[in-house]
Amino acid sequence: MELVFATNNINKLREVQALLPEHIKLLSLKDIACLEDIPENQDTIEGNAIEKAIYIKKNYGYNCFADDTGLEVEALNGEPGVFSARYAGTQKNADDNMALLLENLKDKTNRDAHFKTVIALYVNNKLSTFTGICKGEIITKKSGDKGFGYDPIFKPKNYDITFAEMDLNLKNKISHRGKATKDLIAFLSNN
C-alpha cells in the first residue's frame, strides 16, 4: 500500500516512518511534487488534519493521511493549542514558541499539559480520524537536544526526562503521535 503523509516536517516523517510496517510505502509531499503550503484554516486540531488530508486527495488524487498536533497547557486555558506551531508568530520558530510559553507560565504553579495529535486518513474516498494524547508537564527550562518543537520543555507523565532527552523508540511508544499512528496502523491492517 502506498500512502502520502501530508507534511513538510522531516522530523514527523521520520517518527511515523519508524512505526509503519514494511508493506506501507510512505510518500512525502516532495515525492508527489506538492510544493505549496497546505491550508490549515480550521479552529481545531482535528479540523486542520481533515482539511490537509482532503486537500491532498482532491488536488493530487493520492490516498493519504495528515496530522495536526497541539500542545495544550492547563493553566493557559489550552494555549497554545491549534496555534502551537505559530504561537510566537508566523515564522514558526520553535525556540521563540518555547520562550513565549515559558514566559507565560513563569508565575504559574500548575504546569500540567498534554500533547494532542489527530491523524486524518483519506483512503478510497473514506475519511477516518485517530487521536493520541500524551499527558505531562512543562518544565522551567529546556533540556535535551533530540526531537523538535516543544520537546525540550515537555516531560511526559511518569518520566524524569523530556521528549528531547528520549531516544526515538521510547518517544514513539508513549507519545501522542505514536499512539495515533498505532491506531492508524491497526485500522489499515484490518481494512
Side-chain angles (χ1 to χ4, degrees), residues 35-47:
L35 306 175
E36 69 266 24
D37 281 334
I38 300 173
E40 288 184 85
N41 299 316
Q42 305 305 308
D43 56 5
T44 65
I45 292 167
E46 182 177 60

Side-chain angles (χ1 to χ4, degrees), residues 3 8 13 18 24 27 31 45 48 51 55 58 62 66 73 100 106-107 120 145 151 155 159-160 172 177 185 187 191:
L3 274 178
N8 285 310
L13 202 60
I24 298 175
L27 300 174
D31 292 332
I45 292 167
N48 277 339
E51 181 178 33
Y55 181 88
K58 180 180 170 189
Y62 286 90
V73 180
L100 178 59
K106 71 178 180 188
D107 297 326
D145 58 3
D151 286 357
K155 185 174 75 169
Y159 287 86
D160 292 326
N172 272 342
R177 187 168 299 103
I185 293 166
F187 177 85
N191 289 293

Side-chain angles (χ1 to χ4, degrees), residues 9-28:
N9 185 322
I10 192 71
N11 294 303
K12 282 185 183 183
L13 202 60
R14 191 176 300 122
E15 283 185 7
V16 169
Q17 183 68 63
L19 289 168
L20 291 176
E22 287 182 15
H23 72 276
I24 298 175
K25 181 181 179 193
L26 194 63
L27 300 174
S28 68

Side-chain angles (χ1 to χ4, degrees), residues 4 25-26 52 55 61 75 77 84 88 93 97 114 155 157 168:
V4 172
K25 181 181 179 193
L26 194 63
K52 290 187 279 189
Y55 181 88
N77 300 312
S84 293
N93 181 282
N97 290 337
H114 66 265
K155 185 174 75 169
K157 190 174 181 177
L168 184 57

